[in-house]
Each structure stands twice: as C-alpha cells, then as structure tokens.
Amino acid sequence: MKNELILRTKQFALDCWSFCFKVPKSREYNAFVNQLIRSSSSVGANYRAAQRAKSTADFINKLKIVEEEVDESVYWLEIFEELLSGHISEISKLQKEGKELLAITVASINTAKRNQQRK
C-alpha cells in the first residue's frame, strides 16, 4: 500500500503540473493554476512527511492533510472542467487519478486507525 501511495502521489503531482503548463496564460486562469499547483505539490510533500511520522496518530494526522490536498486538487480540476472545454479528456483523467488517490489515502488512514486500536 505504501509503495503504491508513493508512486500515486508523485504521479498525481507531475500530471497536474504538466496539465498546468498547457492552460492558457491569462489573469483569469493564473489564480486557479497556482492553487492547483500548490495543492498537488503538497500531496507529495505531505505524504513524505507522513512516512517520517514518529507515531501512528501522527501518521494518521499527516495522511488526513494529504487527503485534504487531493480533495482540493480535485475541486480545482472541477473548476477547470467548467472553463476549459478543450482539455476535457485530460481533466477527466486527472480527476479519476485524484479520486483513486483519495480512495487509497482513506484506506491507508482506516488501516492505520485499526492498527492503532489493536494496540
């Protein structure tokens, strides 16, 4: 699970950055692009921080941050979906990727919680 999450967080961030470079440069889009880059960048950074957690509770808290950042990225992708009809297939792929990453993250949180309760 951990290795898959590492690969997914990296890939999601890279795919979001790649998409952002294709978005037209204008005042209208710059704020959205910056928010998507910020949230998708935080996904990988926060997951690496979770890996270094000293306790299960700390690991769970950091994974919850990852969950929030992925959720925020998916939100910004929904806004792009409304604004950029020329990139629908790419946006749909990123949304699917984000939702899968959310599911994996939530499963990791739930597994960590169960392990903590057993102790």
Side-chain angles (χ1 to χ4, degrees):
M1 184 74 86
K2 278 188 177 181
N3 288 338
E4 184 178 1
L5 200 47
I6 292 167
L7 292 174
R8 291 281 183 131
T9 54
K10 283 182 182 175
Q11 194 58 53
F12 182 69
L14 289 171
D15 290 348
C16 284
W17 295 341
S18 172
F19 167 74
C20 285
F21 283 114
K22 296 175 185 173
V23 173
K25 305 291 182 264
S26 72
R27 269 191 217 162
E28 183 184 12
Y29 297 121
N30 283 350
F32 301 142
V33 167
N34 290 338
Q35 291 299 324
L36 179 56
I37 288 175
R38 188 198 59 72
S39 60
S40 63
S41 299
S42 294
V43 167
N46 286 318
Y47 182 70
R48 285 189 298 280
Q51 285 182 298
R52 294 188 297 270
K54 302 282 189 236
S55 67
T56 306
D58 191 30
F59 176 73
I60 291 169
N61 289 336
K62 287 187 169 63
L63 272 189
K64 285 181 180 177
I65 295 169
V66 172
E67 180 186 5
E68 289 168 9
E69 295 293 351
V70 174
D71 198 36
E72 187 179 331
S73 295
V74 171
Y75 167 78
W76 291 112
L77 287 166
E78 287 169 3
I79 288 178
F80 278 119
E81 187 175 35
E82 293 173 20
L83 298 173
L84 297 171
S85 59
H87 294 274
I88 292 297
S89 63
E90 224 173 336
I91 293 167
S92 296
K93 177 186 168 281
L94 284 170
Q95 285 175 328
K96 182 177 180 261
E97 204 176 318
K99 288 174 184 170
E100 287 172 2
L101 183 54
L102 264 179
I104 294 168
T105 305
V106 169
S108 296
I109 290 169
N110 291 337
T111 301
K113 281 181 179 176
R114 279 192 301 276
N115 291 343
Q116 186 181 35
Q117 288 169 350
R118 283 188 206 140
K119 292 178 182 179

